[in-house]
Amino acid sequence: MVHIDLSGGTDGASEFLHLKYADDATLYVPVSQLHLISRYTGVSADEAPLHRLGSGQWEKARRKAAEQVRDTAAELLNLYALRAAREGMSHRFSPHDYEAFAASFGFEETSDQRAAIHAVIQDMISPKPMDRLVCGDVGFGKTEVALRAAFVAVHGGKQVAILAPTTLLAEQHYQTIVDRFGKWPVKVAELSRFRTPKEVKAALEGMEAGTIDIVVGTHKLLSKDVKFKRLGLLVIDEEHRFGVRHKEAIKAMRAEVDVLTLTATPIPRTLGMALEGLRDLSVIATAPQRRLAIKTFVRSESSGTIREAVLRELKRGGQVYFLHNEVETIENRRQKLQELVPEARIAVAHGQMPERELERVMREFTGQRHNVLLCSTIIETGIDVPSANTIIMARADKFGLAQLHQLRGRVGRSHHQAYAYLLVPDVEGLTKQASQRLTAIQEMEELGSGFYLAMHDLEIRGAGEVLGDHQSGNMMEVGFQLYNEMLSEAVRALKKGEEPDLLSPHSAVFGATTEINLHSPALLPDAYCGDVHTRLSLYKKLASAERPEHLELLLEEITDRFGKLPTQGQTLFDTHRLRIQAKPYGVMKIDAGPRLMSITFKPNPPIDAMRIIELVQKNRHVKLAGNDKLRIEREIAEPRARADFMRDILRSLGQPVRAA
């Protein structure tokens, strides 16, 4: 446990972040170094890895993360270099035809949906390859975004591949596309186990010959025998349902085509990449009109709860999903259910059934021949039955957060009130993570909560590696924010053709700051900004500012909120202006007293040595003090004037030879 406080420095010149540990150990961090401290995001606070000060554990974790970051950065850079080098696929289409296609959408678009469609089309007509993630709850209209993109691609003479995680979802997408493109000269095929070998062979030949415009399929689409003549768009539905091997195949395709990923709850790694700007993100958070939030209950399993939940739905003429995810015991469950609710007409559906039988059961359930569907997670994606508005999940504690949200989204797809019952053996005896997941899904039952649940998942189980097969990896050890700072630094270094040095004390990630001392109070006084948390936040923003314009925006914000800056506040800003200007010159420290000043450079600074010699020769008050230090004897009373003088000295050294 750490107590965090702000306290004044011994000379009253600046403030320190005062960290007091449970064992009375104390650490003082100058607020100018606050960019080196950030909130840990990876796993929950109770499970976060703690490293004892001075033990070397942190160094080891940091080194491991740095090694992984270097490899990841090289792979990312290679992937994005391949995409950048590829000639852009600027899709061209007729606005008149597009409007006619859009008009056949049977619903009114929500504002978020319109924004997502606009962003996708802009991506497609620009020469830059598209890699966009569209995040929206089940039933919020993500499929329509994909259909508009498919229309643009096909109209421009390209082929479209739509990748779905389950046979049922692929079948549903196929039917939707056939309906929407019925009036257009577009040939659609499906690759899934619902198709006969003859149909699959014809589809493969058509894709290679270019006679098929849109193909919908499961992971079969990623097979080596699948070849396209002119693939232009890849749509991935529910990326989190594909395994690592499939994702590697998808990743290889990314360099060649525009990619659109649709998801209700992105896996933490995908969400992390989107939040870090590695992928573009559109969020559809607006619910369709008349849609109601699904009421969610977590209960210990009992016959009374099950009977009450099923009968309530049947009495209003609706249908029920009963999720039992163990195929070996699903028949036993059917018998018990039939005894418990004799009024129910029960059908069974799971992934091990023959294709035709599964297809028949699903069609009969959709046609309301059965009113209870006892099923496995095969219904997780792609089943759209508006009359089914109650779902009961046995052993809900065994499902992940994204799965729970997806399964709950099978109901509530009309204007009727829907119910989700998450049944567990014993609510009190749940593991901590299971309890967190169920609490999160219960609390976030409002419409459009999928994105926020994914953010919660990011905190519960960590972000996972950006690339590769590990879901937590070294990112959990050092935290999400620091890992991504290291990744950004490694990518920057590799872009410049340099070897990333993420462990050096002068690296941009660890300690690459310039220490400035103007020998005058540089802080936001208590009387000016009394709230400690606000001051801490402002200090953090100042310490993290990398460009002069960032400082000017902060100055506007602070002046607007608290009034004209006092002298100490002006000195604080002068300190940071000098820090930002000095950093590209490889300056480690500037000490500017009223009579004596010095500039300390890092080894081999990016400065033309002749400039330093000229500076010393032309100015009697400037002297070399060793290989990496300039000593300046000059009497300047005002701290602001000293800061201006030091900036002039730096300018006289010319432009840095390369970025530090």
Side-chain angles (χ1 to χ4, degrees), residues 507-525:
S507 122
V509 178
F510 297 112
T513 189
T514 303
E515 189 183 334
I516 309 288
N517 187 357
L518 293 178
H519 290 261
S520 182
L523 50 86
L524 298 172

Side-chain angles (χ1 to χ4, degrees), residues 77 489-499 508 658-660:
L77 211 60
E489 177 62 18
V491 168
R492 269 200 300 272
L494 287 169
K495 273 183 177 173
K496 292 187 291 189
E498 299 169 7
E499 176 66 19
R658 64 180 193 279

Side-chain angles (χ1 to χ4, degrees), residues 407-421:
L407 290 163
R408 181 174 65 177
R410 293 305 106 216
V411 296
R413 299 175 76 89
S414 66
H415 57 274
H416 295 292
Q417 179 63 64
Y419 301 92
Y421 293 85

